[in-house]
Amino acid sequence: MRHVRRRVVRRVTRLTAVAGLVLGGAMVTQAAMAGETPGAPATLRSTARPAAADKGSELVARLGTSRTAGSWINAEGRPVVAVTDEKAAAEVRQAGAEAKLVRHSMNELKAATATLRAAPRVPGTAWVMDYRNNRVIVQADSTVSAADWSRMTKVANRIGTFVHMQRTKGTFTTRLNGAQAMLSTGGRCSAGFNVTDGQRDFILTAGHCGPTGSIWFADGQGGQELGRTVKSSFPGGDFSLVQYTSGGAGQGAEIVAIGGGRGVRITGAADPVVGQRVFRSGSTTGLRTGEVTGLNATVNYPEGTVTGLIQTTVCAESGDSGGPLFSEGIALGVTSGGSGDCTTGGTTFFQPVTKALAALDVKLIVAPPQQDTGTSSGSSSEETPQSAVAPDAASPGSSAPVTGGTGSTTLLSRLSDPSNVGPGLMVIAGSLIVLVAARWIRTEQERKAYQRYYSATWG
């Protein structure tokens, strides 16, 4: 009996630690990261720009939107700028970037998206400017009827041949349900990044996760309150602030968990660039990677239209909503929604972090300088060139250990320590542990069935 009880203790302790790590696979709460090795306090920093992306953006700004049509990073990590005339191309090359002559300017691409936005709204559609192919891509999921698709095609034809119509599998959903990390009466969601206004700390997550006033818990029984949603934007944008009940995020707030007891130190925030390799961590599917394929995307979710999103090839599933998008330790976005799953692949959209921080008037909590990795929380953009390398060589960022130092883990360790309790209490503790393990196993089975159902629904 004793060796059985010990195995149960070890299993439940391990499962409890894992549950602490997957708070969205993302933000680090005072409970989930209480065991992080003490060090220098986290610092505040709102922006950090990639060097290659900066060069492309600077050239676009200098030449103007009538002579350019966006920029991106090629396979070698060099900036590429789409230009409409040879003189502009020469200026781009002289600046050390690659030039690509295109037919349609940014002004034309923006006019096309404005026309699409002015047309009658069709839930299940999305569009984005495809810089690399100098076109606007309009997507429609499986819920869009043939009649609506025909009407949108007519609108696109009136705009011009550079508007490309594309059917997609599955449906565009905001993917609220299925996470274990943050739970409220309205559903479940993943957390994103820890932020602060200088006096109080918050969780930055997706706006569709819950309206203002939603109360969030770290457990399904409502015994561990995380905080309350104090600001929310959805539709229009897709971001919200959950204020910590305790007032502070605690030690390790600058780390996002990626599984396996490891995390990534966040050192700043920036806007991504097309072609950049990015990483997403979520409580359902863990760490995933993909590529940025478009910016300023518009998605017509069933609940409403969201604009200004990042479009990627990173997969996501139910419960990953609100989780963080990052690359080389730089925060880029929080998961909004998409189509497909991590078995067949799909498209996922993200709310840009920089826009959310500006709208909410908060700053990201980031890591202090790390001498061993060379990363710095106070460095200039030239010192954190996460896009100056080839996309294939990009990494999530500087690694950091994380532990699931939750209150329940501490209780379990005390109950199972013979030096702290008598034999009678050990029997009681063992019985409680068996009950907890049985409850977790049953809940896990239900969660997996729930996840399979929704995955099949999207796919």
Side-chain angles (χ1 to χ4, degrees), residues 108-118 127-129 136 159 296:
E108 292 177 83
L109 299 181
K110 287 183 176 180
T113 59
T115 301
L116 292 167
R117 182 70 187 274
W127 51 81
V128 65
M129 288 181 280
V136 174
I159 298 172
N296 296 314

Side-chain angles (χ1 to χ4, degrees), residues 294-332:
L295 304 174
N296 296 314
T298 295
V299 184
N300 292 302
Y301 294 124
E303 302 92 335
T305 300
V306 180
T307 62
L309 297 177
I310 305 163
Q311 179 178 287
T312 75
T313 61
V314 186
C315 72
E317 293 184 7
S318 174
D320 289 326
S321 275
L325 180 74
F326 51 94
S327 182
E328 298 293 335
I330 302 299
L332 302 172

Side-chain angles (χ1 to χ4, degrees), residues 125-446:
T125 60
W127 51 81
V128 65
M129 288 181 280
D130 179 5
Y131 297 161
R132 284 180 287 197
N133 294 299
N134 194 226
R135 62 185 182 178
V136 174
I137 298 178
V138 180
Q139 297 177 314
D141 67 20
S142 59
T143 66
V144 177
S145 67
D148 283 338
W149 180 244
S150 177
R151 282 193 290 271
M152 289 201 68
T153 301
K154 290 178 181 178
V155 173
N157 290 340
R158 288 196 295 269
I159 298 172
T161 57
F162 64 96
V163 179
H164 180 71
M165 304 295 288
Q166 184 180 90
R167 277 282 197 179
T168 65
K169 296 181 179 179
T171 61
F172 292 129
T173 70
T174 48
R175 299 184 166 170
L176 172 62
N177 296 313
Q180 294 179 314
M182 293 173 57
L183 301 95
S184 75
T185 56
R188 307 182 183 196
C189 225
S190 293
F193 300 98
N194 279 316
V195 298
T196 183
D197 64 2
Q199 297 179 332
R200 300 161 300 175
D201 294 345
F202 309 85
I203 302 165
L204 175 65
T205 188
H208 72 264
C209 287
T212 299
S214 299
I215 301 176
W216 294 94
F217 300 90
D219 63 321
Q221 291 72 43
Q224 186 180 354
E225 184 176 326
L226 287 176
R228 182 188 299 263
T229 301
V230 293
K231 292 183 181 179
S232 181
S233 175
F234 181 81
D238 196 359
F239 52 86
S240 66
L241 280 183
V242 176
Q243 183 178 338
Y244 278 107
T245 299
S246 64
Q251 182 69 32
E254 75 282 6
I255 298 173
V256 295
I258 60 175
R262 306 299 295 175
V264 169
R265 290 187 174 93
I266 299 300
T267 61
D271 291 321
V273 62
V274 173
Q276 182 177 356
R277 187 186 183 197
V278 291
F279 302 83
R280 175 198 59 73
S281 187
S283 60
T284 300
T285 57
L287 183 68
R288 301 286 175 162
T289 185
E291 179 182 311
V292 176
T293 55
L295 304 174
N296 296 314
T298 295
V299 184
N300 292 302
Y301 294 124
E303 302 92 335
T305 300
V306 180
T307 62
L309 297 177
I310 305 163
Q311 179 178 287
T312 75
T313 61
V314 186
C315 72
E317 293 184 7
S318 174
D320 289 326
S321 275
L325 180 74
F326 51 94
S327 182
E328 298 293 335
I330 302 299
L332 302 172
V334 293
T335 308
S336 174
S339 63
D341 55 37
C342 288
T343 300
T344 61
T347 298
T348 302
F349 299 95
F350 297 84
Q351 165 68 50
V353 161
T354 54
K355 291 183 176 64
L357 294 176
L360 296 168
D361 194 23
V362 293
K363 292 184 178 181
L364 199 67
I365 297 178
V366 299
Q370 299 292 319
Q371 295 181 353
D372 58 333
T373 61
T375 59
S376 171
S377 64
S379 60
S380 65
S381 61
E382 288 75 21
E383 293 173 323
T384 55
Q386 81 267 23
S387 294
V389 297
D392 287 345
S395 68
S398 173
S399 180
V402 292
T403 58
T406 63
S408 55
T409 302
T410 302
L411 176 61
L412 285 171
S413 63
R414 289 176 179 175
L415 288 174
S416 58
D417 187 353
S419 64
N420 293 334
V421 294
L425 289 179
M426 276 296 295
V427 173
I428 297 174
S431 300
L432 289 173
I433 291 168
V434 170
L435 288 174
V436 170
R439 176 69 176 270
W440 186 92
I441 293 170
R442 184 169 62 253
T443 303
E444 181 69 5
Q445 290 172 341
E446 292 173 352

